[in-house]
Amino acid sequence: IVSRTKLKTNPGTEAVKRLRINDLQKDIPFMINSNDLPPRQCYMEYPDGIIKLVTIAEGSREFLTIRVLSKIESKKLRQKFDLSDYA
């Protein structure tokens, strides 16, 4: 089992954090995958700071919004994954 401390300092984790910032700076949404979600669901973070819970449409490559997270929920999600605020 990997400890949270090791996870936070893992070079792969740091690369993903840099990719997130680069994507958001380019106005590209960033996908946040979580083992806590059912299959085909993930979070999409947008450059304006909004995070949506989405699902991949059956037989498609499109995302369908399930709901928009509140500001408090978004903050907690970023804390959970040790992500900085962007917007």
Side-chain angles (χ1 to χ4, degrees), residues 18-29 46-47 86:
R18 285 192 302 275
L19 176 64
R20 172 183 168 259
I21 295 299
N22 287 338
D23 282 356
L24 294 173
Q25 287 175 342
K26 293 177 185 172
D27 247 6
I28 300 170
Y46 294 86
Y86 176 74

Side-chain angles (χ1 to χ4, degrees), residues 45-75:
E45 181 180 22
Y46 294 86
D48 62 2
I50 290 175
I51 298 179
K52 296 178 181 180
L53 174 61
V54 299
T55 187
I56 301 170
E58 189 76 31
S60 174
R61 296 179 68 170
E62 292 185 38
F63 291 102
L64 302 174
T65 300
I66 296 171
R67 69 185 191 88
V68 177
L69 275 63
S70 70
K71 288 184 180 187
I72 292 170
E73 290 172 316
S74 295
K75 182 176 180 172

Side-chain angles (χ1 to χ4, degrees), residues 72-84:
I72 292 170
E73 290 172 316
S74 295
K75 182 176 180 172
K76 287 181 181 180
L77 185 70
R78 286 186 190 96
Q79 288 173 342
K80 176 181 178 179
F81 289 104
D82 193 34
L83 300 172
S84 62

